[in-house]
Amino acid sequence: MAKNRSLGVVLIILGVLVNNYAYVTDIVGNSHEGLIYMGSRGITAAVLGLLAIALGVVALLRTDKTDAS
């Protein structure tokens, strides 16, 4: 079950990175004077990031308790 644990951690990290990318690219591009205005691609990226985080948490919760030692 260590495979599920490492998969869960990787999914959470990737989800956080995708969400940060979705929000920061609009700010760095300064296309809306410092405001975050997410178009359809940004919203899709944020949703995929949140989905990856949720799947990572589920993978971590499904690991055996005996594997924790």
Side-chain angles (χ1 to χ4, degrees):
M1 289 293 158
K3 182 179 174 183
N4 283 345
R5 184 179 297 155
S6 60
L7 176 66
V9 171
V10 167
L11 282 172
I12 291 171
I13 291 171
L14 286 176
V16 169
L17 289 176
V18 167
N19 274 335
N20 285 344
Y21 178 78
Y23 291 112
V24 171
T25 52
D26 202 34
I27 294 172
V28 171
N30 200 21
S31 56
H32 302 288
E33 299 173 5
L35 299 174
I36 298 175
Y37 175 77
M38 296 178 60
S40 60
R41 289 185 296 169
I43 290 173
T44 303
V47 167
L48 289 176
L50 291 174
L51 181 63
I53 292 170
L55 289 174
V57 169
V58 168
L60 285 177
L61 291 175
R62 292 183 128 197
T63 58
D64 282 340
K65 299 300 179 191
T66 57
D67 191 36
S69 54

